[in-house]
Amino acid sequence: MKKTIALWAALTAVALLVTGCTVEEPAAAAGPTPAKTTAPAAGHKAPEAPGAAAYRKWGLKPFAAPPAPPAVKPVVRTAGGPVPVISEIPTREKIVFITIDDGAEKDPEFVRMMKDLEVPVTMFLTDSSIRADYGYFEPLLAQGNGLANHTLTHPNLRTLSQEGQHREICGQQTKLKQRYGTTPRLFRPPYGNWNEATRAAAGECGLDAIVLWRESMQIKNMQYQRGDRKLHPGDIILAHFRGPSELKGRTMTEMTATMLRKIQEQGFTVARLEDYV
C-alpha cells in the first residue's frame, strides 16, 4: 500500500511539472507602485516662452507681462479743472512707461523691432519732423502704440504768448487727427518747458495731461533725475526718434535695445501709458 501511494505522488509531481502548473506562494504585501519616469531624449530642449525667438533676434530676453490696467485710472483731469502735469504714474507695480519724441528718424528696422517685441510706446510727434513721411508712423500706430502731441514746430513754448502756444498745440491736434484719425489726449512741451499759459492752452485744445519724464535715454546710458540713479515704479522714460548722425553711429534699434536691457536689469517691465492716464 505504501508503495502504491509513493508511486501515485511521484506521477502527480511529474504531471504538474509537464503542464507548468505550480502552487503559488502567497504574495508579499506590496507598497505603492512607483511612478514611471521617462528620461528626456538626448538633445531635447524645453519649449521656449512665447516671443522668445523674436526677442533673441534683437539680443534681448522677453519682458514679463505687465499687470492688468487699473479699473480706475490714477491720473484723471477733473471736469473744468487744470490739466495735470506728470512725470510719473502713482503705482506700486514695477512698471515703467516709454515715450518717444519728435519723429525725425524714420528707421524701417525700428518698425520691425516694435512689431517683434510688442513693447508699448507712446509717440509724441512734431509736425515739422514727421511731415516728410507721415506714412512711416502708420504701422507703429496699427501695432497699438500711442499717438500724442508735441507741437507743430517744436518751439520753446515759454517764449510764446498764450495765443502762440494755442496755435502750436491746437494746430498739431488738428494735423494728427486729419492724418491718423485719432485725436491725441496727451501733450509734451518741447524741452519740457511750460508755464501756466501752456497749461491753459492745452486745456483749451482738449488735452488730458501734460507729460514730462523722470529718465531720458541717451546714446548708451540712462540719464536719471533722482540722486539714487534708479528706476522707480511708474516712471516715465523719454527717448527720441534718432539715428546714427545723432547717436554717434548707433542706430535707433541699438539705442532702444540698450534702453530695454536697462529696464530689465532693474526688474521692471513696460506698460501702456494710455491705460493709466
Side-chain angles (χ1 to χ4, degrees), residues 157-171:
L157 292 176
R158 287 198 300 224
T159 67
L160 302 182
S161 65
Q162 184 167 330
E163 182 182 354
Q165 295 195 45
H166 189 281
R167 283 195 300 270
E168 283 284 339
I169 300 170
C170 288

Side-chain angles (χ1 to χ4, degrees), residues 147-149 172-174 176-177 182-187 205-208:
L147 177 68
N149 186 328
Q172 182 65 339
Q173 286 288 91
T174 301
L176 293 173
K177 170 64 174 176
T182 300
T183 302
R185 297 175 41 250
L186 307 179
F187 171 69
C205 298
L207 289 148
D208 292 333

Side-chain angles (χ1 to χ4, degrees), residues 52-243:
Y55 273 80
R56 191 168 58 248
K57 170 183 171 182
W58 300 100
L60 297 165
K61 297 178 182 178
F63 274 94
V72 177
K73 293 182 178 182
V75 178
V76 178
R77 181 186 177 190
T78 58
V83 175
V85 181
I86 60 171
S87 299
E88 71 249 18
I89 299 296
T91 180
R92 294 182 179 179
E93 302 281 1
K94 291 204 75 174
I95 54 174
V96 294
F97 305 91
I98 296 175
T99 62
I100 310 179
D101 280 13
D102 303 338
E105 178 67 17
K106 302 170 184 66
D107 183 352
E109 284 296 298
F110 179 73
V111 178
R112 285 187 277 273
M113 181 185 210
M114 291 294 99
K115 182 179 180 180
D116 286 345
L117 304 185
E118 298 182 344
V119 175
V121 302
T122 300
M123 302 180 292
F124 287 83
L125 302 180
T126 297
D127 188 65
S128 59
S129 295
I130 69 173
R131 66 175 60 144
D133 187 1
Y134 289 116
Y136 171 81
F137 301 93
E138 290 174 355
L140 290 167
L141 293 171
Q143 293 165 15
N145 296 303
L147 177 68
N149 186 328
H150 198 41
T151 72
L152 284 170
T153 65
H154 207 275
N156 179 352
L157 292 176
R158 287 198 300 224
T159 67
L160 302 182
S161 65
Q162 184 167 330
E163 182 182 354
Q165 295 195 45
H166 189 281
R167 283 195 300 270
E168 283 284 339
I169 300 170
C170 288
Q172 182 65 339
Q173 286 288 91
T174 301
K175 285 270 190 183
L176 293 173
K177 170 64 174 176
Q178 289 174 342
R179 293 292 175 180
Y180 303 113
T182 300
T183 302
R185 297 175 41 250
L186 307 179
F187 171 69
R188 173 169 287 152
Y191 317 106
N193 290 342
W194 66 280
N195 54 24
E196 286 305 318
T198 311
R199 182 183 276 192
E204 292 165 3
C205 298
L207 289 148
D208 292 333
I210 293 174
V211 180
L212 304 179
W213 61 89
R214 277 297 186 181
E215 291 83 28
S216 61
M217 185 62 205
Q218 304 302 309
I219 297 173
K220 295 182 179 180
N221 297 303
M222 199 89 79
Q223 188 176 77
Y224 299 87
Q225 293 180 357
R226 299 184 185 91
D228 62 6
R229 297 181 59 78
K230 294 193 299 186
L231 295 173
H232 291 244
D235 278 0
I236 297 169
I237 300 172
L238 165 66
H240 291 85
F241 284 94
R242 290 177 175 163

Side-chain angles (χ1 to χ4, degrees), residues 34-46:
K36 292 183 179 180
T37 58
T38 304
H44 176 74
K45 293 182 179 179

